[in-house]
Amino acid sequence: MGMSVTPHEGRSNCPVLACRKDLTQTCPGELQVRAAAGGGVAACKSGCLAFGTDELCCHNTYNSPATYRPSKYSDFFKSECPQAFTYAHDNPSLTHQCSASCELKVIFCH
């Protein structure tokens, strides 16, 4: 199921962030969350959630654009969903464009 986060009623320049692909179809095995019933892939976790390391979670010495680098997991998400943020320092210029308050719509697509 795809989704988007879209600005709605606000005075800011918030970007639309979207991923229209069903990532359960292509999720790397180590990131897969299995459904209880039927055992199919129900979701795809981040590398941080799957492994909890400082490097994948952008913690401690990795908590800056100078020290943090994308991982094979963030690269997977970026290749599948180019408009989405895939790690903490993915695109700092976009995160600052949405400084004014605005209401956001989360839209799930199928």
Side-chain angles (χ1 to χ4, degrees):
M1 174 183 304
M3 71 171 287
S4 70
V5 178
T6 307
H8 176 73
E9 296 181 12
R11 293 191 178 123
S12 61
N13 184 19
C14 300
V16 172
L17 304 175
C19 183
R20 293 180 180 15
K21 290 190 176 185
D22 179 357
L23 298 179
T24 62
Q25 304 300 311
T26 56
C27 183
E30 61 270 31
L31 302 182
Q32 293 178 359
V33 176
R34 295 282 176 181
V41 179
C44 191
K45 339 179 215 192
S46 68
C48 175
L49 185 60
F51 303 106
T53 65
D54 285 353
E55 186 175 5
L56 292 174
C57 296
C58 193
H59 292 159
N60 298 318
T61 59
Y62 296 97
N63 191 14
S64 79
T67 58
Y68 185 84
R69 297 288 176 253
S71 68
K72 69 179 183 177
Y73 304 114
S74 61
D75 287 344
F76 159 74
F77 288 110
K78 183 58 79 176
S79 71
E80 295 293 306
C81 305
Q83 290 179 308
F85 290 99
T86 63
Y87 60 96
H89 303 288
D90 189 355
N91 190 340
S93 65
L94 281 179
T95 59
H96 299 293
Q97 288 183 7
C98 196
S99 58
S101 65
C102 76
E103 183 178 314
L104 299 174
K105 282 185 179 179
V106 178
I107 302 168
F108 295 94
C109 317
H110 58 93

